[in-house]
């Protein structure tokens, strides 16, 4: 697991007895990290892929004590529909969306999302990401937090999705959200990660020769 993958979990800042939703949980690295905070009162770990949730079950059974597993509910719903299932329920929501996984795409040729045959799928990613983020916002209690994350360098998958979600939440659902300042992460981890200086919203960890982590984009929204 890339060390930068822990940053969205830290940004969520889970507090004791919080009800937490991991909307796109598989393969389970961030789910484990959420449980390692020791603060989740209840954790709903969801992924649309049943094969990936089977892997998630295996990871939970391998690494998580039974008494902690009893606080976890694993489901395989389409995350875009979550608001219809349990809207306004959670204190904290992690939306770690499917993306172009830029590091893997550079390294791998098999089933690469930048292959010509997957052009349509790649072009539709920002819409899918927006729909998942909107579901996360609607699943959050008033006063709750949503952390959106990708492992992409693309502003179309990062800041633009955030800006559009804030606009839609306000105009279509009368929900006010605002992006939190996460610049303190730069100070805390200046010796570990290389941060982009160009992000309008949230933070972006850039792979660097002396700090080969990321890319990892994360942004925190507070629902009013």
């Amino acid at each position: 697991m890339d060390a930068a993958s822990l940053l969205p979990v830290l940004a969520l800042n889970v507090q004791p007895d919080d009800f937490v939703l991991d909307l796109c949980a598989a393969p389970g690295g961030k789910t484990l990290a959420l449980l390692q905070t020791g603060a989740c009162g209840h954790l709903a770990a969801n992924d649309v892929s049943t094969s990936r949730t089977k892997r998630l079950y295996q990871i939970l059974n391998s690494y998580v004590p039974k008494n902690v597993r009893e606080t976890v509910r694993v489901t395989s719903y389409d995350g875009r529909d979550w608001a219809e299932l349990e809207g306004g329920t959670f204190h904290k929501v992690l939306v770690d969306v499917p993306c172009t996984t830029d590091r893997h795409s550079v390294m791998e040729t098999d089933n690469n999302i930048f292959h010509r045959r997957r052009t349509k799928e790649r072009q539709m990613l920002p819409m899918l990401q927006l729909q998942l983020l909107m579901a996360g916002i609607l699943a959050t209690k008033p006063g709750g937090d949503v952390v959106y994350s990708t492992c992409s360098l693309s502003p179309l998958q990062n800041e633009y999705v955030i800006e559009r979600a804030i606009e839609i939440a306000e105009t279509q659902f009368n929900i006010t959200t605002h992006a939190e300042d996460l610049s303190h992460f730069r100070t805390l981890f200046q010796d570990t990660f290389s941060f982009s200086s160009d992000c309008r919203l949230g933070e972006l960890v850039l792979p660097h020769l002396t700090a080969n982590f990321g890319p990892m984009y994360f942004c925190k929204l507070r629902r009013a």
Side-chain angles (χ1 to χ4, degrees):
M1 184 175 177
D2 191 308
S5 296
L6 295 174
L7 295 176
V9 175
L10 294 176
L12 202 55
N13 192 26
V14 178
Q15 297 299 302
D17 299 323
D18 273 352
F19 274 51
V20 182
L21 170 62
D22 189 353
L23 192 61
C24 310
K30 293 183 181 67
T31 305
L32 282 181
L34 285 166
L35 292 172
Q36 285 177 322
T37 66
C40 297
H42 170 77
L43 174 61
N46 179 75
D47 199 276
V48 67
S49 167
T50 53
S51 63
R52 284 162 63 88
T53 50
K54 285 179 183 176
R55 173 65 177 149
L56 179 56
Y57 272 118
Q58 292 171 355
I59 289 174
L60 291 173
N61 287 327
S62 297
Y63 295 104
V64 179
K66 184 179 179 181
N67 65 309
V68 178
R69 288 203 306 271
E70 290 172 349
T71 68
V72 182
R73 174 167 52 106
V74 178
T75 56
S76 294
Y77 298 117
D78 186 329
R80 293 172 292 184
D81 300 330
W82 194 273
E84 300 170 19
L85 301 167
E86 290 182 283
T89 303
F90 296 91
H91 301 97
K92 305 285 168 64
V93 177
L94 177 62
V95 186
D96 184 48
V97 293
C99 67
T100 48
T101 55
D102 292 356
R103 175 182 288 268
H104 296 294
S105 296
V106 169
M107 303 291 289
E108 297 176 2
T109 55
D110 292 342
N111 204 32
N112 193 310
I113 196 165
F114 287 97
H115 193 282
R116 187 180 303 168
R117 70 174 179 272
R118 298 186 69 186
T119 298
K120 181 73 171 179
E121 178 186 353
R122 189 173 69 252
Q123 291 173 338
M124 293 301 293
L125 268 176
M127 178 57 72
L128 171 62
Q129 292 160 343
L130 175 61
Q131 292 169 332
L132 288 167
L133 178 53
M134 285 308 307
I137 291 171
L138 294 172
T140 309
K141 290 174 175 283
D145 295 319
V146 180
V147 169
Y148 173 85
S149 61
T150 78
C151 45
S152 172
L153 296 165
S154 169
L156 287 175
Q157 298 178 62
N158 297 340
E159 298 103 302
Y160 285 101
V161 172
I162 294 291
E163 290 169 339
R164 185 71 177 125
I166 291 172
E167 178 185 352
I168 291 174
E170 183 72 49
T171 57
Q172 296 188 21
F173 297 95
N174 199 30
I175 294 173
T176 300
T177 59
H178 68 271
E180 299 273 284
D181 180 12
L182 298 177
S183 59
H184 58 283
F185 278 90
R186 294 167 174 258
T187 305
L188 283 169
F189 296 105
Q190 60 183 340
D191 297 328
T192 308
F193 302 116
S194 176
F195 288 90
S196 169
S197 58
D198 296 328
C199 267
R200 298 189 307 278
L201 297 168
E203 296 291 341
L204 174 63
V205 173
L206 298 172
H208 191 273
L209 286 175
T210 59
N212 193 18
F213 305 108
M216 177 55 61
Y217 174 79
F218 59 108
C219 184
K220 184 175 184 175
L221 297 177
R222 169 69 53 87
R223 176 174 173 172

